[in-house]
Amino acid sequence: MLLAIDTSTGTSVAVVDHDAGVIAEVGTADTMRHAEVVGELVREALESAHIPPARLSGVAAGMGPGPFTGLRVGIAAAHAFALGIRKPFVPVVSHDAVAFTWYRDGGSGPMQVVTDARRREFAVSDYDGIDADGLPIRVHGPVLVPRDAVPERPGTRFDATLVSAGGIGMIAEFAFAAGRLPLTGDAPLYLRAPDVTPSAGKKVLR
């Protein structure tokens, strides 16, 4: 049983189990208040699921792609919670959760996940079904493209305004059952360089 958190778009928190599925999920599409709401949403999800933290076997987090400020809130919260309960942290690509949910809800064939990266850009990933382990097959991405230059692909384009933490958690559960963890690295997928970079330092003239 896992707690799952994603803040790559809005904020979503869920409690999931491999056999029972998504036990509880709460969230908001607000893209500006991740830090203000994530703690309360964690509490609500656990209370709704009637699951004490001690029963969790780990914490899954959406690693993006997403804007820097919002994305790091969810990752930091997931890391802190995992550390607090002394259980593993499981990173998941956020777009994979969108594709997973779409296919599990009856979608078929190629599909493209698109999320708002701000600054007139979109983050894009392409998928082609699910594999034998029940995980989405990502064939391209995630990449950052201008809003008016999203490549046209065969199949369905899905513009996601909220990434389901339930999808994040279920991908982690399926991957664990298949012995395929980790699915991605522990580094956030920002896709663009930070606005602020360290200075080269001042030269001291003597």
Side-chain angles (χ1 to χ4, degrees):
M1 193 175 301
L2 298 174
L3 177 70
I5 300 172
D6 188 275
T7 55
S8 63
T9 49
T11 305
S12 180
V13 180
V15 178
V16 307
D17 177 78
H18 182 274
D19 297 321
V22 179
I23 300 171
E25 184 166 12
V26 292
T28 172
D30 189 331
T31 60
M32 303 301 292
R33 300 180 61 248
H34 303 93
E36 290 86 351
V37 303
V38 67
E40 179 64 18
L41 292 179
V42 168
R43 184 188 66 78
E44 288 182 15
L46 290 171
E47 287 185 353
S48 179
H50 304 292
I51 300 297
R55 286 188 59 192
L56 297 170
S57 57
V59 183
M63 305 304 289
F68 176 82
T69 303
L71 186 58
R72 65 178 178 172
V73 169
I75 295 172
H79 266 298
F81 204 96
L83 182 64
I85 63 174
R86 298 183 180 181
K87 296 294 172 61
F89 172 85
V90 185
V92 176
V93 175
S94 298
H95 279 189
D96 288 1
V98 178
F100 174 87
T101 302
W102 188 81
Y103 285 119
R104 297 282 289 184
D105 286 345
S108 62
M111 66 92 66
Q112 183 180 69
V113 175
V114 180
T115 53
D116 189 355
R118 302 184 189 171
R119 298 187 197 164
R120 294 192 284 269
E121 292 179 312
F122 281 146
V124 180
S125 297
D126 294 292
Y127 297 84
D128 191 11
I130 56 175
D131 62 22
D133 296 321
L135 298 171
I137 302 169
R138 180 161 24 96
V139 295
H140 185 256
V143 295
L144 201 62
V145 298
R147 288 194 182 198
D148 58 357
V150 176
E152 293 187 7
R153 309 285 193 199
T156 302
R157 168 173 164 168
F158 187 90
D159 289 76
T161 57
L162 182 65
V163 174
S164 166
I168 295 286
M170 291 307 296
I171 282 180
E173 289 278 22
F174 275 60
F176 175 77
R180 290 173 55 179
L181 291 178
L183 287 170
T184 189
D186 201 7
L189 298 172
Y190 295 131
L191 299 188
R192 72 163 61 93
D195 293 332
V196 179
T197 56
S199 65
K202 294 182 179 179
K203 290 184 179 180
V204 179
L205 301 178
R206 297 180 180 273

